[in-house]
Amino acid sequence: MKTLIKSTMTALALTALSVNVASAETRITYKSAKTGSSYYQMGVELAEAMKAGTDGNVIVTVEESQGSVQNVMEARARGGDYVFTTPPALVRLAQGGKAMFEGKGDPKFDEIRALFPIPSLTMHFVMSKDSGVTDITGLEGKTILLGKGSFGATEGEKYLGLFGMAEKVKIADAELSNAVAALKNGQIDGFVTAGSWPAPNVIEAAASTPVTVLSMSDDQIAQTKRTMLTIPAGTYAGQDIDITTTSLPVVAYTTTGMDDDTAYQLTKTFWESKAKLGENAPWWNGVNEGLMNTIEGTIHPGAQRYYEEAGIALTDAQK
């Protein structure tokens, strides 16, 4: 009888232990971009870093997205386990019900809170060498793939308009995931992508067929109202000179639905893992405390706790 009671108590104790272990595990859904993009790859890298940095207590599932606009829109219906990436400008537009969010306003947008910056969006105009195009003014008569629904597609369309090319190029009706194959097969002359550099689809394109990644002039960059960025020579196959282009900050966000401890753990693990992330993927080396200034709006209280501990000053607008 005593043996039976002892065995039962042991089983109950093990069950309780397993419940406690399970309850300690935090599961997060991370939504960023389409598979094959640099931002999707970043999500995979972050998921691995979160698992390693928390001894498996934080499990991040990377979910494919159609782009930054969709990510923000889904913040209206997602729970406290939702993390997404987007340029701060889109959060501002959503909260103001402007541009692509006109008529789609929702009080939930006001509950969006920042966690930490990630590598900036970098515009790439990738043209086949055979197209003969060496600058944006030479795009006339060419077939360009922009993709659909992503911020990069919207930004690419905007740039074509700014540079007087909107009515002078043919836009391919295809997804960005088809860009490399279409370029190699001669179905398009080039494509536009806004992945952080070095962008996987640009690496793949340059490795499979001779390409030229276009630079922008100082005047063109000024027209975009974006930040100038230089992609060093040798970043892509066949790239002998620096590429001058534009960038736009990107931030990882959640909502007030996330509890403070989880936001703290995610933010702390990110910054403590960043150096190791940069050893394997150079785009992480462009993230530093200076990018904190690009975060517009309120930072999640849990993340604020980490920044206070780390001695990283926040602006009044971020608190």
Side-chain angles (χ1 to χ4, degrees), residues 28-310:
I28 298 296
T29 296
Y30 182 92
K31 197 174 185 80
S32 182
K34 296 181 180 180
T35 54
S37 69
S38 57
Y39 282 93
Y40 188 89
Q41 181 60 35
M42 285 178 210
V44 173
E45 293 163 358
L46 272 177
E48 294 171 350
M50 290 295 171
K51 184 176 181 180
T54 62
D55 295 325
N57 290 329
V58 175
I59 303 300
V60 177
T61 300
V62 181
E63 186 176 292
E64 184 180 20
S65 161
Q66 296 305 304
S68 299
V69 174
Q70 181 193 39
N71 296 351
V72 177
M73 291 295 290
E74 289 195 13
R76 299 176 301 176
R78 296 290 190 125
D81 62 344
Y82 183 53
V83 174
F84 65 98
T85 65
T86 190
L90 284 193
V91 174
R92 185 174 67 247
L93 290 174
Q95 292 174 340
K98 298 178 180 178
M100 65 282 290
F101 299 99
E102 186 175 357
K104 301 175 183 177
D106 193 295
K108 286 287 186 180
F109 289 142
D110 293 327
E111 297 176 8
I112 293 173
R113 297 291 183 268
L115 293 173
F116 47 79
I118 66 171
S120 300
L121 277 164
T122 305
M123 288 300 290
H124 292 73
F125 280 77
V126 185
M127 303 299 299
S128 69
K129 286 278 189 183
D130 288 345
S131 72
V133 179
T134 57
D135 59 66
I136 289 176
T137 59
L139 291 175
E140 184 171 356
K142 305 301 181 183
T143 301
I144 307 297
L145 195 157
L146 297 178
K148 301 176 182 179
S150 70
F151 183 82
T154 303
E155 193 82 343
E157 186 177 11
K158 168 189 166 183
Y159 281 34
L160 291 175
L162 287 174
F163 306 149
M165 291 290 122
E167 305 300 324
K168 297 179 181 180
V169 300
K170 179 182 178 182
I171 304 300
D173 184 19
E175 296 286 350
L176 188 60
S177 57
N178 299 320
V180 175
L183 188 72
K184 185 177 180 180
N185 295 333
Q187 296 168 296
I188 60 173
D189 297 299
F191 65 92
V192 179
T193 184
S196 185
W197 70 274
N201 53 353
V202 182
I203 292 174
E204 184 183 356
S208 61
T209 189
V211 301
T212 300
V213 182
L214 306 182
S215 281
M216 299 182 204
S217 67
D218 291 345
D219 181 59
Q220 288 170 337
I221 290 172
Q223 288 182 63
T224 69
K225 294 182 170 58
R226 303 300 188 203
T227 303
M228 185 184 79
L229 182 142
T230 300
I231 301 175
T235 298
Y236 301 113
Q239 180 202 341
D240 299 325
I241 59 174
D242 291 349
I243 299 163
T244 304
T245 185
T246 60
S247 69
L248 187 67
V250 181
V251 172
Y253 289 93
T254 187
T255 68
T256 55
M258 177 174 286
D259 66 85
D260 290 1
D261 287 343
T262 299
Y264 171 84
Q265 191 173 35
L266 289 173
T267 305
K268 177 181 173 68
T269 305
F270 167 73
W271 285 103
E272 292 182 348
S273 303
K274 196 185 73 63
K276 190 170 183 179
L277 282 166
E279 291 176 4
N280 299 316
W283 47 50
W284 293 109
N285 296 325
V287 178
N288 53 42
E289 290 183 22
L291 283 185
M292 291 297 297
N293 294 327
T294 66
I295 297 178
E296 300 177 18
T298 308
I299 293 175
H300 195 288
Q304 287 188 43
R305 190 206 313 169
Y306 167 75
Y307 291 122
E308 183 177 351
E309 289 179 1

